[in-house]
Amino acid sequence: MEPHEERVLALLRAPGVLTEELRRRLLELLLETSARPIPYEEFLARADEDTLAEWVQGEVRHYSPAFRSHQELVGFLTALLSAYVQHHRLGVVLSAPFQMKLSRSGREPDVLFVAQEHLHRLHPTHLEGPADLVIEIVSPESAPRDRGEKFYEYQEAGIPEYWLIDPQSQWAEFYQRDERGRFQHAPLDPQGIYRSRVIPGFWLRVDWLWQDPLPPVDVILLEIGGEAYARRLIERLREQGWL
């Protein structure tokens, strides 16, 4: 990055200099100033957590802020998966904005899961390589990306599991990678339950996603894990001195 650009970025990030909205827009304009493809490292250096953008083959692509229903669902799934994954020591769950660097793009999935054996891919600013599970909450603005180019990018990258959840139409699609490396639609069971392949023992009743308000995470974890989960939770609380 050029020295003058570094000075501009430092000024924009200084507290109290600009309003949040103006600072965000100026950062976006700075990212757009060059017509040449920019390296991924330069994109990371210029952008910050308030910059709504992804990196695709050297091009910076901006996207719109999310709706409330989108954010509530992201928060619900992040909390649910994080609690389950941490309890079973299976890995890490992260939500946007956090970059996932693939061979031709740097995407920001709404929710991603990285298994314990792949935690070496995590860096302070991004995930270097594919997550084990990617979840995108579909909106009218994001649907062409989520169902189109992202679908094939994630498939090509070797992501084992991909969820597409559309809160407006109350529709969810789940895909699992087959032996040929292609996403195959994974149907729900007769009770409307989806069972994850990459998170052992985790299942999701899809109707939970459409409840208003969304159900308490603790109640769902007890339903998923049953008595065994309750016993392990009590043992852990005792180990930590809470009981």
PDB file of all heavy atoms in Angstrom, residues 6 14-16 18 24 34 38-40 46 75 93 107 117 121 123 131 137 157 184-185 189 225 230 238:
ATOM      1  N   GLU A   6      -1.927   4.828   3.335  1.00  0.00           N
ATOM      2  CA  GLU A   6      -1.847   4.449   4.738  1.00  0.00           C
ATOM      3  C   GLU A   6      -2.228   5.607   5.651  1.00  0.00           C
ATOM      4  O   GLU A   6      -2.906   5.427   6.665  1.00  0.00           O
ATOM      5  CB  GLU A   6      -0.434   3.955   5.053  1.00  0.00           C
ATOM      6  CG  GLU A   6      -0.076   2.646   4.361  1.00  0.00           C
ATOM      7  CD  GLU A   6       1.326   2.190   4.695  1.00  0.00           C
ATOM      8  OE1 GLU A   6       2.059   2.974   5.334  1.00  0.00           O
ATOM      9  OE2 GLU A   6       1.677   1.057   4.327  1.00  0.00           O
ATOM     10  N   ALA A  14      -9.421   6.908  12.824  1.00  0.00           N
ATOM     11  CA  ALA A  14      -9.242   7.617  14.092  1.00  0.00           C
ATOM     12  C   ALA A  14     -10.607   7.917  14.715  1.00  0.00           C
ATOM     13  O   ALA A  14     -11.533   8.351  14.032  1.00  0.00           O
ATOM     14  CB  ALA A  14      -8.476   8.913  13.871  1.00  0.00           C
ATOM     15  N   PRO A  15     -10.770   7.665  16.023  1.00  0.00           N
ATOM     16  CA  PRO A  15     -12.070   7.908  16.667  1.00  0.00           C
ATOM     17  C   PRO A  15     -12.442   9.382  16.678  1.00  0.00           C
ATOM     18  O   PRO A  15     -11.598  10.250  16.863  1.00  0.00           O
ATOM     19  CB  PRO A  15     -11.854   7.376  18.093  1.00  0.00           C
ATOM     20  CG  PRO A  15     -10.369   7.424  18.302  1.00  0.00           C
ATOM     21  CD  PRO A  15      -9.754   7.169  16.952  1.00  0.00           C
ATOM     22  N   GLY A  16     -13.722   9.639  16.435  1.00  0.00           N
ATOM     23  CA  GLY A  16     -14.233  10.992  16.549  1.00  0.00           C
ATOM     24  C   GLY A  16     -13.998  11.885  15.354  1.00  0.00           C
ATOM     25  O   GLY A  16     -14.427  13.030  15.339  1.00  0.00           O
ATOM     26  N   LEU A  18     -14.912  11.189  11.987  1.00  0.00           N
ATOM     27  CA  LEU A  18     -16.038  11.170  11.068  1.00  0.00           C
ATOM     28  C   LEU A  18     -17.190  10.389  11.692  1.00  0.00           C
ATOM     29  O   LEU A  18     -17.003   9.600  12.614  1.00  0.00           O
ATOM     30  CB  LEU A  18     -15.635  10.474   9.749  1.00  0.00           C
ATOM     31  CG  LEU A  18     -14.476  11.095   8.964  1.00  0.00           C
ATOM     32  CD1 LEU A  18     -14.060  10.165   7.848  1.00  0.00           C
ATOM     33  CD2 LEU A  18     -14.884  12.440   8.382  1.00  0.00           C
ATOM     34  N   ARG A  24     -17.539   4.793   6.706  1.00  0.00           N
ATOM     35  CA  ARG A  24     -17.732   3.564   5.939  1.00  0.00           C
ATOM     36  C   ARG A  24     -17.741   3.855   4.446  1.00  0.00           C
ATOM     37  O   ARG A  24     -17.108   3.151   3.663  1.00  0.00           O
ATOM     38  CB  ARG A  24     -19.040   2.893   6.354  1.00  0.00           C
ATOM     39  CG  ARG A  24     -19.374   1.662   5.521  1.00  0.00           C
ATOM     40  CD  ARG A  24     -20.734   1.099   5.897  1.00  0.00           C
ATOM     41  NE  ARG A  24     -20.743   0.597   7.254  1.00  0.00           N
ATOM     42  CZ  ARG A  24     -21.841   0.138   7.858  1.00  0.00           C
ATOM     43  NH1 ARG A  24     -22.994   0.150   7.234  1.00  0.00           N
ATOM     44  NH2 ARG A  24     -21.774  -0.330   9.090  1.00  0.00           N
ATOM     45  N   SER A  34      -8.879   2.176  -7.468  1.00  0.00           N
ATOM     46  CA  SER A  34      -8.004   1.587  -8.480  1.00  0.00           C
ATOM     47  C   SER A  34      -8.776   0.611  -9.344  1.00  0.00           C
ATOM     48  O   SER A  34      -9.510  -0.232  -8.843  1.00  0.00           O
ATOM     49  CB  SER A  34      -6.831   0.853  -7.803  1.00  0.00           C
ATOM     50  OG  SER A  34      -6.047   0.216  -8.772  1.00  0.00           O
ATOM     51  N   ILE A  38      -6.688  -6.052  -7.287  1.00  0.00           N
ATOM     52  CA  ILE A  38      -5.849  -5.883  -6.113  1.00  0.00           C
ATOM     53  C   ILE A  38      -5.615  -7.237  -5.450  1.00  0.00           C
ATOM     54  O   ILE A  38      -6.509  -8.101  -5.446  1.00  0.00           O
ATOM     55  CB  ILE A  38      -6.472  -4.886  -5.109  1.00  0.00           C
ATOM     56  CG1 ILE A  38      -7.741  -5.457  -4.470  1.00  0.00           C
ATOM     57  CG2 ILE A  38      -6.754  -3.557  -5.759  1.00  0.00           C
ATOM     58  CD1 ILE A  38      -8.251  -4.639  -3.308  1.00  0.00           C
ATOM     59  N   PRO A  39      -4.428  -7.465  -4.900  1.00  0.00           N
ATOM     60  CA  PRO A  39      -4.160  -8.720  -4.191  1.00  0.00           C
ATOM     61  C   PRO A  39      -5.039  -8.838  -2.955  1.00  0.00           C
ATOM     62  O   PRO A  39      -5.477  -7.827  -2.387  1.00  0.00           O
ATOM     63  CB  PRO A  39      -2.678  -8.602  -3.801  1.00  0.00           C
ATOM     64  CG  PRO A  39      -2.129  -7.504  -4.643  1.00  0.00           C
ATOM     65  CD  PRO A  39      -3.263  -6.574  -4.932  1.00  0.00           C
ATOM     66  N   TYR A  40      -5.276 -10.060  -2.543  1.00  0.00           N
ATOM     67  CA  TYR A  40      -6.131 -10.297  -1.389  1.00  0.00           C
ATOM     68  C   TYR A  40      -5.564  -9.633  -0.137  1.00  0.00           C
ATOM     69  O   TYR A  40      -6.309  -9.074   0.662  1.00  0.00           O
ATOM     70  CB  TYR A  40      -6.282 -11.805  -1.154  1.00  0.00           C
ATOM     71  CG  TYR A  40      -7.219 -12.144  -0.027  1.00  0.00           C
ATOM     72  CD1 TYR A  40      -8.585 -11.870  -0.129  1.00  0.00           C
ATOM     73  CD2 TYR A  40      -6.759 -12.732   1.145  1.00  0.00           C
ATOM     74  CE1 TYR A  40      -9.458 -12.176   0.906  1.00  0.00           C
ATOM     75  CE2 TYR A  40      -7.632 -13.039   2.182  1.00  0.00           C
ATOM     76  CZ  TYR A  40      -8.973 -12.762   2.058  1.00  0.00           C
ATOM     77  OH  TYR A  40      -9.833 -13.054   3.097  1.00  0.00           O
ATOM     78  N   ARG A  46      -6.871  -2.811   3.509  1.00  0.00           N
ATOM     79  CA  ARG A  46      -7.686  -1.611   3.310  1.00  0.00           C
ATOM     80  C   ARG A  46      -9.036  -1.693   4.008  1.00  0.00           C
ATOM     81  O   ARG A  46      -9.544  -0.703   4.527  1.00  0.00           O
ATOM     82  CB  ARG A  46      -7.920  -1.387   1.813  1.00  0.00           C
ATOM     83  CG  ARG A  46      -6.676  -0.988   1.037  1.00  0.00           C
ATOM     84  CD  ARG A  46      -7.059  -0.668  -0.396  1.00  0.00           C
ATOM     85  NE  ARG A  46      -5.940  -0.163  -1.173  1.00  0.00           N
ATOM     86  CZ  ARG A  46      -6.065   0.395  -2.364  1.00  0.00           C
ATOM     87  NH1 ARG A  46      -7.255   0.510  -2.909  1.00  0.00           N
ATOM     88  NH2 ARG A  46      -5.005   0.840  -3.018  1.00  0.00           N
ATOM     89  N   GLY A  75     -27.645 -14.686  14.391  1.00  0.00           N
ATOM     90  CA  GLY A  75     -27.324 -14.744  15.812  1.00  0.00           C
ATOM     91  C   GLY A  75     -27.801 -16.033  16.456  1.00  0.00           C
ATOM     92  O   GLY A  75     -27.078 -16.637  17.272  1.00  0.00           O
ATOM     93  N   VAL A  93     -17.022 -21.945  15.722  1.00  0.00           N
ATOM     94  CA  VAL A  93     -18.085 -21.351  14.894  1.00  0.00           C
ATOM     95  C   VAL A  93     -17.873 -19.846  14.865  1.00  0.00           C
ATOM     96  O   VAL A  93     -17.667 -19.221  15.911  1.00  0.00           O
ATOM     97  CB  VAL A  93     -19.478 -21.687  15.452  1.00  0.00           C
ATOM     98  CG1 VAL A  93     -20.564 -20.957  14.655  1.00  0.00           C
ATOM     99  CG2 VAL A  93     -19.715 -23.192  15.415  1.00  0.00           C
ATOM    100  N   ARG A 107     -14.641 -14.638   0.627  1.00  0.00           N
ATOM    101  CA  ARG A 107     -16.059 -14.483   0.942  1.00  0.00           C
ATOM    102  C   ARG A 107     -16.256 -14.276   2.438  1.00  0.00           C
ATOM    103  O   ARG A 107     -15.391 -14.585   3.249  1.00  0.00           O
ATOM    104  CB  ARG A 107     -16.836 -15.723   0.494  1.00  0.00           C
ATOM    105  CG  ARG A 107     -16.840 -15.947  -1.015  1.00  0.00           C
ATOM    106  CD  ARG A 107     -17.574 -14.854  -1.747  1.00  0.00           C
ATOM    107  NE  ARG A 107     -17.763 -15.165  -3.165  1.00  0.00           N
ATOM    108  CZ  ARG A 107     -18.400 -14.381  -4.012  1.00  0.00           C
ATOM    109  NH1 ARG A 107     -18.911 -13.230  -3.600  1.00  0.00           N
ATOM    110  NH2 ARG A 107     -18.528 -14.717  -5.278  1.00  0.00           N
ATOM    111  N   GLU A 117      -9.710 -30.387  13.577  1.00  0.00           N
ATOM    112  CA  GLU A 117      -8.525 -30.789  12.814  1.00  0.00           C
ATOM    113  C   GLU A 117      -8.100 -29.760  11.770  1.00  0.00           C
ATOM    114  O   GLU A 117      -7.032 -29.879  11.162  1.00  0.00           O
ATOM    115  CB  GLU A 117      -8.749 -32.141  12.139  1.00  0.00           C
ATOM    116  CG  GLU A 117      -9.910 -32.199  11.160  1.00  0.00           C
ATOM    117  CD  GLU A 117     -11.213 -32.627  11.814  1.00  0.00           C
ATOM    118  OE1 GLU A 117     -11.373 -32.403  13.039  1.00  0.00           O
ATOM    119  OE2 GLU A 117     -12.071 -33.192  11.098  1.00  0.00           O
ATOM    120  N   ARG A 121      -6.040 -23.527   9.914  1.00  0.00           N
ATOM    121  CA  ARG A 121      -6.385 -22.635   8.806  1.00  0.00           C
ATOM    122  C   ARG A 121      -6.815 -21.246   9.292  1.00  0.00           C
ATOM    123  O   ARG A 121      -6.886 -20.313   8.496  1.00  0.00           O
ATOM    124  CB  ARG A 121      -7.534 -23.239   7.985  1.00  0.00           C
ATOM    125  CG  ARG A 121      -7.210 -24.567   7.316  1.00  0.00           C
ATOM    126  CD  ARG A 121      -8.443 -25.140   6.629  1.00  0.00           C
ATOM    127  NE  ARG A 121      -8.196 -26.452   6.059  1.00  0.00           N
ATOM    128  CZ  ARG A 121      -9.152 -27.259   5.577  1.00  0.00           C
ATOM    129  NH1 ARG A 121     -10.414 -26.847   5.607  1.00  0.00           N
ATOM    130  NH2 ARG A 121      -8.835 -28.435   5.087  1.00  0.00           N
ATOM    131  N   HIS A 123      -6.576 -17.675  10.833  1.00  0.00           N
ATOM    132  CA  HIS A 123      -5.625 -16.596  11.063  1.00  0.00           C
ATOM    133  C   HIS A 123      -6.367 -15.441  11.736  1.00  0.00           C
ATOM    134  O   HIS A 123      -7.604 -15.417  11.743  1.00  0.00           O
ATOM    135  CB  HIS A 123      -4.997 -16.147   9.742  1.00  0.00           C
ATOM    136  CG  HIS A 123      -4.193 -17.214   9.072  1.00  0.00           C
ATOM    137  ND1 HIS A 123      -2.832 -17.305   9.180  1.00  0.00           N
ATOM    138  CD2 HIS A 123      -4.579 -18.277   8.295  1.00  0.00           C
ATOM    139  CE1 HIS A 123      -2.398 -18.347   8.492  1.00  0.00           C
ATOM    140  NE2 HIS A 123      -3.438 -18.961   7.947  1.00  0.00           N
ATOM    141  N   ALA A 131     -14.047 -23.631   4.985  1.00  0.00           N
ATOM    142  CA  ALA A 131     -14.644 -24.066   6.247  1.00  0.00           C
ATOM    143  C   ALA A 131     -15.213 -25.466   6.042  1.00  0.00           C
ATOM    144  O   ALA A 131     -15.327 -25.967   4.916  1.00  0.00           O
ATOM    145  CB  ALA A 131     -15.740 -23.100   6.661  1.00  0.00           C
ATOM    146  N   ILE A 137     -27.633 -16.954   4.828  1.00  0.00           N
ATOM    147  CA  ILE A 137     -29.033 -16.560   4.992  1.00  0.00           C
ATOM    148  C   ILE A 137     -29.420 -15.767   3.745  1.00  0.00           C
ATOM    149  O   ILE A 137     -28.879 -14.691   3.494  1.00  0.00           O
ATOM    150  CB  ILE A 137     -29.241 -15.716   6.259  1.00  0.00           C
ATOM    151  CG1 ILE A 137     -28.608 -16.395   7.475  1.00  0.00           C
ATOM    152  CG2 ILE A 137     -30.730 -15.469   6.481  1.00  0.00           C
ATOM    153  CD1 ILE A 137     -29.115 -17.775   7.785  1.00  0.00           C
ATOM    154  N   ALA A 157     -14.255 -25.443  -3.862  1.00  0.00           N
ATOM    155  CA  ALA A 157     -13.293 -25.318  -2.770  1.00  0.00           C
ATOM    156  C   ALA A 157     -13.250 -26.560  -1.881  1.00  0.00           C
ATOM    157  O   ALA A 157     -12.353 -26.682  -1.044  1.00  0.00           O
ATOM    158  CB  ALA A 157     -13.613 -24.096  -1.928  1.00  0.00           C
ATOM    159  N   GLN A 184     -24.786 -32.382  -3.218  1.00  0.00           N
ATOM    160  CA  GLN A 184     -26.043 -33.086  -3.427  1.00  0.00           C
ATOM    161  C   GLN A 184     -27.038 -32.642  -2.371  1.00  0.00           C
ATOM    162  O   GLN A 184     -26.690 -32.482  -1.197  1.00  0.00           O
ATOM    163  CB  GLN A 184     -25.835 -34.604  -3.327  1.00  0.00           C
ATOM    164  CG  GLN A 184     -24.953 -35.184  -4.407  1.00  0.00           C
ATOM    165  CD  GLN A 184     -25.552 -35.032  -5.806  1.00  0.00           C
ATOM    166  OE1 GLN A 184     -26.778 -35.030  -5.973  1.00  0.00           O
ATOM    167  NE2 GLN A 184     -24.688 -34.876  -6.802  1.00  0.00           N
ATOM    168  N   HIS A 185     -28.268 -32.415  -2.803  1.00  0.00           N
ATOM    169  CA  HIS A 185     -29.303 -31.985  -1.883  1.00  0.00           C
ATOM    170  C   HIS A 185     -29.548 -33.061  -0.835  1.00  0.00           C
ATOM    171  O   HIS A 185     -29.721 -34.240  -1.160  1.00  0.00           O
ATOM    172  CB  HIS A 185     -30.595 -31.692  -2.645  1.00  0.00           C
ATOM    173  CG  HIS A 185     -31.709 -31.203  -1.776  1.00  0.00           C
ATOM    174  ND1 HIS A 185     -32.761 -32.004  -1.392  1.00  0.00           N
ATOM    175  CD2 HIS A 185     -31.929 -29.994  -1.199  1.00  0.00           C
ATOM    176  CE1 HIS A 185     -33.584 -31.300  -0.632  1.00  0.00           C
ATOM    177  NE2 HIS A 185     -33.103 -30.088  -0.498  1.00  0.00           N
ATOM    178  N   ASP A 189     -35.767 -35.515   7.154  1.00  0.00           N
ATOM    179  CA  ASP A 189     -36.451 -36.767   7.464  1.00  0.00           C
ATOM    180  C   ASP A 189     -37.952 -36.495   7.589  1.00  0.00           C
ATOM    181  O   ASP A 189     -38.394 -35.334   7.499  1.00  0.00           O
ATOM    182  CB  ASP A 189     -35.847 -37.418   8.714  1.00  0.00           C
ATOM    183  CG  ASP A 189     -36.199 -36.684  10.010  1.00  0.00           C
ATOM    184  OD1 ASP A 189     -37.045 -35.765   9.991  1.00  0.00           O
ATOM    185  OD2 ASP A 189     -35.603 -37.017  11.044  1.00  0.00           O
ATOM    186  N   GLY A 225     -29.611 -32.917  22.695  1.00  0.00           N
ATOM    187  CA  GLY A 225     -28.736 -33.797  23.467  1.00  0.00           C
ATOM    188  C   GLY A 225     -29.433 -34.677  24.466  1.00  0.00           C
ATOM    189  O   GLY A 225     -28.856 -35.683  24.907  1.00  0.00           O
ATOM    190  N   ALA A 230     -27.810 -33.045  29.402  1.00  0.00           N
ATOM    191  CA  ALA A 230     -28.084 -32.451  30.707  1.00  0.00           C
ATOM    192  C   ALA A 230     -27.067 -32.941  31.746  1.00  0.00           C
ATOM    193  O   ALA A 230     -26.562 -32.150  32.553  1.00  0.00           O
ATOM    194  CB  ALA A 230     -29.503 -32.783  31.148  1.00  0.00           C
ATOM    195  N   ARG A 238     -20.185 -28.333  37.668  1.00  0.00           N
ATOM    196  CA  ARG A 238     -19.555 -28.723  38.926  1.00  0.00           C
ATOM    197  C   ARG A 238     -18.037 -28.583  38.842  1.00  0.00           C
ATOM    198  O   ARG A 238     -17.403 -28.092  39.787  1.00  0.00           O
ATOM    199  CB  ARG A 238     -19.921 -30.177  39.265  1.00  0.00           C
ATOM    200  CG  ARG A 238     -21.321 -30.334  39.846  1.00  0.00           C
ATOM    201  CD  ARG A 238     -21.676 -31.771  40.054  1.00  0.00           C
ATOM    202  NE  ARG A 238     -23.005 -31.907  40.664  1.00  0.00           N
ATOM    203  CZ  ARG A 238     -23.739 -33.018  40.635  1.00  0.00           C
ATOM    204  NH1 ARG A 238     -23.263 -34.099  40.037  1.00  0.00           N
ATOM    205  NH2 ARG A 238     -24.913 -33.057  41.234  1.00  0.00           N
TER     206      ARG A 238
END
